[in-house]
Amino acid sequence: MVATPTQAPPLRSHLGESLKSLPGSSQLSLYTLITPARKHIGLFPYTSLSQSSPLRSKILQQEFLILVAQSPVEDATQSVFVSGIEAVLYSIPCNSSSILYISKVDSTGQTVAGCGSPTRPLVKALIDYFVSPVTRPTRNMRVQLFARAQNQYLFPDSSLHMEKRVLTDVKLCRWWKDVLTNISVTTEEFWERMGFRQECTLNAVTGFFVVDHLLDASPSPPVNDNASPSEVAARGTVPTAMLARISSSLQNLDFGSTERAIEATKVLTESIKGLCAGLGSGGSGGSEDDFYGEHVPTSMIVRNPPRLMKVTNSNMTQKNGEASGDGVQTPAPVQVNVLQARKKKRPAVTG
């Protein structure tokens, strides 16, 4: 007897659950924006098959923008975006395979005093959602990302804020390896040297991370292979052009100080709500009045013991571990293999 596929919870609910155990007391607002699945032709640019070839697999693409704002419990007017993720899901229906590409992860460093940053649990929850047999969109799943240290990816000028700690290239790769290794699934990770590209010639450390998850022929619980790739991942989607507009607006804001970050958060959240006004049931899964509240934001108040800290002469660091860039305590460092930059050999000089 074949088991009935388990009903997958919405992505927003899954991400929200991951934030309830954050240290400290704060008010959190989670914004989950997902586009509908649409045809994509650029995933394999070097294939010899033409676009019209019947042998060329159909590929669908979905984009995700996930933002978390945090404020003191007693004053929601001080709400500031503290974490954000950009990701793309590529689905290949013909072989029931998908690739989750995490393109950007960023934080502002402006978490409420004594509270933990949502960045790490948010990233882990996103990956867990797409690799879990219950919620993955296809039978075979790959998670892929390219780790390279930058001052900021999603929140402009956030590196100017004194509380943001930008990780070095080695520590960023270590952070990602720790995140992926501690997911309760089989993990494949590899390092790649990129010839004479700028990242290597400047002695910067970058990392390619790949996590593959393959299900047996008779998984338990089974994946609903008859569902469209967007059906499992999205309960309510926004137009692609709208998400592009929101992302563009985000890049024009300023998170360099607490005051400017509060104003930037207010501007963007009001913009998101305004753009969602009028989205109805035409493929979005709700009426015009309830779409925004049902599918985009979710708010919660967490009241947990505060984050443990210890004071050193130079800085505030985590207790029993190294302080990561998102302000979350990390376990003992994982060994990272650093590849030396390859240098061109000079030809021998003959007399």
Side-chain angles (χ1 to χ4, degrees):
M1 181 176 66
V2 178
T4 303
T6 304
Q7 179 67 34
L11 174 61
R12 186 182 69 163
S13 299
H14 182 82
L15 297 177
E17 285 295 319
S18 72
L19 303 179
K20 292 182 178 180
S21 59
L22 281 178
S25 298
S26 66
Q27 185 169 174
L28 298 167
S29 296
L30 168 69
Y31 296 82
T32 308
L33 297 159
I34 310 172
T35 66
R38 67 184 189 277
K39 188 176 181 181
H40 180 72
I41 61 174
L43 186 59
F44 302 111
Y46 300 110
T47 179
S48 59
L49 298 175
S50 65
Q51 297 295 334
S52 60
S53 172
L55 299 177
R56 188 176 181 120
S57 300
K58 178 183 179 182
I59 299 173
L60 301 176
Q61 170 185 331
Q62 275 187 292
E63 295 167 303
F64 298 78
L65 177 61
I66 302 165
L67 301 168
V68 178
Q70 189 180 49
S71 68
V73 172
E74 66 279 2
D75 191 359
T77 64
Q78 301 298 303
S79 181
V80 175
F81 281 128
V82 291
S83 302
I85 304 174
E86 261 190 16
V88 183
L89 178 69
Y90 299 100
S91 300
I92 309 173
C94 69
N95 60 6
S96 189
S97 298
S98 295
I99 301 172
L100 177 67
Y101 176 63
I102 303 177
S103 55
K104 296 178 182 179
V105 174
D106 200 5
S107 62
T108 63
Q110 302 184 44
T111 56
V112 175
C115 297
S117 167
T119 307
R120 182 187 296 265
L122 196 67
V123 170
K124 295 180 70 172
L126 176 67
I127 297 173
D128 180 69
Y129 185 89
F130 282 102
V131 303
S132 169
V134 177
T135 50
R136 67 173 61 184
T138 53
R139 188 171 299 274
N140 304 312
M141 191 72 211
R142 165 172 288 188
V143 179
Q144 190 161 339
L145 60 99
F146 173 58
R148 183 176 64 176
Q150 295 281 9
N151 287 341
Q152 60 249 335
Y153 275 106
L154 289 172
F155 301 111
D157 296 327
S158 58
S159 62
L160 300 177
H161 196 278
M162 61 181 299
E163 295 298 327
K164 180 168 182 175
R165 290 168 293 176
V166 179
L167 291 181
T168 63
D169 45 15
V170 173
K171 289 184 177 180
L172 178 64
C173 290
R174 179 185 295 157
W175 187 91
W176 272 111
K177 185 173 182 180
D178 177 65
V179 168
L180 296 175
T181 303
N182 282 279
I183 297 173
S184 57
V185 291
T186 303
T187 303
E188 173 193 350
E189 179 272 334
F190 67 93
W191 298 88
E192 186 72 29
R193 181 170 58 181
M194 299 195 303
F196 297 106
R197 285 178 59 106
Q198 183 181 19
E199 290 86 349
C200 289
T201 58
L202 294 179
N203 290 323
V205 176
T206 57
F208 290 92
F209 293 86
V210 176
V211 183
D212 282 330
H213 304 274
L214 308 177
L215 288 184
D216 296 332
S218 300
S220 179
V223 174
N224 185 3
D225 281 336
N226 293 323
S228 66
S230 62
E231 188 176 334
V232 175
R235 301 292 189 265
T237 58
V238 301
T240 302
M242 178 186 295
L243 185 60
R245 182 174 176 180
I246 293 171
S247 297
S248 177
S249 299
L250 178 58
Q251 294 305 307
N252 291 323
L253 299 175
D254 185 349
F255 291 85
S257 69
T258 300
E259 294 75 17
R260 294 195 295 271
I262 292 174
E263 179 62 24
T265 301
K266 180 181 179 180
V267 169
L268 191 65
T269 53
E270 290 180 352
S271 176
I272 293 173
K273 184 175 182 178
L275 289 171
C276 287
L279 289 181
S281 58
S284 301
S287 68
E288 293 186 0
D289 295 330
D290 65 11
F291 176 85
Y292 174 78
E294 183 178 350
H295 298 293
V296 180
T298 183
S299 298
M300 68 193 76
I301 293 177
V302 295
R303 298 182 186 273
N304 297 315
R307 185 181 57 175
L308 296 178
M309 302 286 291
K310 69 176 181 179
V311 180
T312 65
N313 292 332
S314 59
N315 199 359
M316 297 284 287
T317 60
Q318 296 287 335
K319 182 178 181 181
N320 298 327
E322 181 181 5
S324 67
D326 58 5
V328 177
Q329 181 175 328
T330 63
V334 179
Q335 182 179 356
V336 175
N337 296 323
V338 180
L339 298 178
Q340 297 299 321
R342 186 173 63 184
K343 298 181 179 179
K344 294 182 178 180
K345 292 183 179 180
R346 295 182 178 180
V349 179
T350 59

